[in-house]
Amino acid sequence: MTTHLTSGAAWLAKIAAYPRRRMNRSPWPPNGEPAPIPIGRAFHVVRVPAGNAKKVVHYLHARSIPTGPVLAQPHVWSFLVPTSLVDGRDIPGGLLLTGRDRTQTLKCPQPGQPASKDRYWQTAPDGSGELMNPPALAEAIAQTIAASACDDGSDPGHPDPHEGPPRD
C-alpha cells in the first residue's frame, strides 16, 4: 500500500521502482530515513562542496536560472542533472556521478516530509522531471570559484582530493 506522496516524491519513487511498471510501495521506510534512489536511470549527480554550492545556488537564483532538485548535506550538495546532457567528464569544481556501475545511489529524504538529521532538499523535486542544466551549472561554479579566489586569494579548483569519495 502506498501512502500519499507529493508529486516530487512520486517522481523519485517511480525512479526507485524501475523497471517495474507500477510502484507498489513507497521507497521510504516508515521511520523517515532517506531512501536509496539509483543514479543513472533518470539523472546523474554533480556534487559540489557545500560552501561553493551555497554560492552557486545564490548565483543561479540571482539570474533566475532554475536549479532543479538540489540535495544538501553538511559537506557536499548534489545537483541532479540530465543523463542526456552530460558527457561523462567532471565539471570543474564538481564531481560527476553517473551510476554507470548501476550500484550508485543517492540517499534522498522524502520530499514534503521533515528533513533528516544530515540531509535536506535545498530545492525539492517537483515531479516535473526538470533538472539542472549542466552548462549553466558549470558556468555558475566557475564564476563563484573565480569570485571566491579574488575575494580570499585562495586557489580555485576541484574539491579536495584527500577527502575521498563523497559518502551517503
Side-chain angles (χ1 to χ4, degrees), residues 60 65-69 79-82 85 130-138 140:
L60 293 165
I65 300 171
T67 63
F79 291 80
L80 278 57
V81 298
L85 295 178
E130 183 94 13
L131 302 171
M132 180 71 225
N133 179 292
L137 179 58

Side-chain angles (χ1 to χ4, degrees), residues 149-160:
C150 291
D151 291 344
D152 64 15
S154 65
D155 182 27
H158 280 3
D160 185 352

Side-chain angles (χ1 to χ4, degrees), residues 4-12 111 125-128:
H4 175 71
L5 299 175
T6 65
S7 54
W11 178 73
L12 288 172
D126 61 9
S128 69

Side-chain angles (χ1 to χ4, degrees), residues 18-75:
Y18 181 84
R20 295 184 306 273
R21 292 194 181 266
R22 273 196 325 222
M23 178 186 65
N24 294 330
R25 62 181 178 85
S26 170
W28 291 278
N31 66 3
E33 287 294 313
I37 307 296
I39 296 170
R41 291 181 183 162
F43 60 84
H44 290 310
V45 172
V46 175
R47 289 205 162 151
V48 178
N52 290 348
K54 290 176 188 176
K55 295 173 187 173
V56 167
V57 168
H58 178 74
Y59 177 94
L60 293 165
H61 286 170
R63 286 153 185 79
S64 300
I65 300 171
T67 63
V70 181
L71 182 65
Q73 294 173 256
H75 301 291

Side-chain angles (χ1 to χ4, degrees), residues 139-165:
E139 173 70 16
I141 292 171
Q143 292 298 322
T144 57
I145 288 175
S148 294
C150 291
D151 291 344
D152 64 15
S154 65
D155 182 27
H158 280 3
D160 185 352
H162 300 291
E163 288 181 8

Side-chain angles (χ1 to χ4, degrees), residues 67-133:
T67 63
V70 181
L71 182 65
Q73 294 173 256
H75 301 291
V76 66
W77 287 17
S78 299
F79 291 80
L80 278 57
V81 298
T83 59
S84 61
L85 295 178
V86 180
D87 63 7
R89 292 179 290 171
D90 285 345
I91 291 175
L95 175 67
L96 175 66
L97 302 178
T98 62
R100 282 192 185 134
D101 65 7
R102 302 291 181 216
T103 62
Q104 286 181 307
T105 61
L106 185 64
K107 290 188 178 179
C108 299
Q110 183 176 338
Q113 296 297 313
S116 73
K117 61 182 178 250
D118 65 344
R119 64 191 74 220
Y120 65 93
W121 287 106
Q122 170 64 29
T123 307
D126 61 9
S128 69
E130 183 94 13
L131 302 171
M132 180 71 225
N133 179 292

